[in-house]
């Protein structure tokens, strides 16, 4: 099934984000070998060159590495993966809080709503 990519932002950036979420959510485990560029490109329904660009960016940032004849692997640095998870969560929280402020909710009202919904 193709990934849900839109035309509002660069495709390679969306691929990077998708793979980051796959890493932090455990779809790809630390040290796990990734499918080939062609397989990932086919799965995402994108050009292999676009997938290659996204994977190169993830290598540059350290979330994966290449082994010459074996392919690409997810980093084994679980602290780095946890930090990425926190960064992604913080970004989502900031978007959420901004939307709640636009609704005119105070911090106290937001907190109350969160507490009510977390009990469910």
């Amino acid at each position: 099934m193709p990934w849900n990519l839109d035309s509002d932002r660069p495709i390679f950036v969306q691929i990077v984000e998708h793979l980051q979420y796959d890493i932090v959510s455990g779809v790809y485990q630390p040290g796990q070998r990734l499918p080939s560029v062609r397989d990932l490109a086919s799965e995402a329904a994108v050009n292999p060159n676009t997938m290659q660009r996204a994977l190169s960016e993830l290598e540059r940032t350290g979330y994966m590495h290449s082994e010459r004849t074996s392919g690409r692997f997810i980093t084994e640095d679980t602290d780095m993966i946890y930090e990425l998870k926190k960064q992604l969560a913080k970004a989502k929280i900031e978007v959420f809080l901004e939307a709640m402020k636009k609704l005119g909710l105070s911090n106290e009202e937001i907190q109350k709503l969160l507490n009510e919904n977390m009990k469910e």
Side-chain angles (χ1 to χ4, degrees):
M1 178 179 195
W3 297 356
N4 188 17
L5 305 173
D6 59 56
S7 60
D8 295 343
R9 300 179 303 131
I11 298 298
F12 95 93
V13 171
Q14 295 176 67
I15 293 169
V16 168
E17 291 171 353
H18 183 94
L19 290 170
Q20 286 176 330
Y21 279 98
D22 283 353
I23 292 168
V24 300
S25 68
V27 172
Y28 294 118
Q29 297 294 317
Q32 181 178 346
R33 184 179 184 276
L34 270 80
S36 71
V37 172
R38 287 200 182 283
D39 288 346
L40 284 171
S42 176
E43 180 184 327
V46 299
N47 184 299
N49 292 333
T50 305
M51 183 59 69
Q52 176 63 41
R53 183 175 180 195
L55 294 174
S56 293
E57 177 62 19
L58 288 166
E59 278 187 57
R60 187 189 68 74
T61 56
Y63 296 114
M64 62 180 59
H65 64 277
S66 291
E67 291 184 13
R68 208 176 244 208
T69 58
S70 302
R72 285 191 171 87
F73 295 83
I74 301 301
T75 183
E76 293 181 8
D77 186 344
T78 54
D79 291 337
M80 176 185 254
I81 293 171
Y82 182 70
E83 285 303 314
L84 175 60
K85 183 183 279 193
K86 286 184 2 185
Q87 288 173 14
L88 294 172
K90 186 175 186 228
K92 292 288 186 186
I93 290 168
E94 289 170 357
V95 169
F96 167 77
L97 290 175
E98 185 177 317
M100 295 303 101
K101 295 289 184 183
K102 284 183 180 177
L103 289 173
L105 296 171
S106 69
N107 286 344
E108 294 77 23
E109 291 170 316
I110 295 168
Q111 186 69 49
K112 182 179 178 194
L113 286 171
L114 283 172
N115 287 337
E116 288 171 6
N117 282 282
M118 291 187 68
K119 290 178 185 174
E120 295 177 2

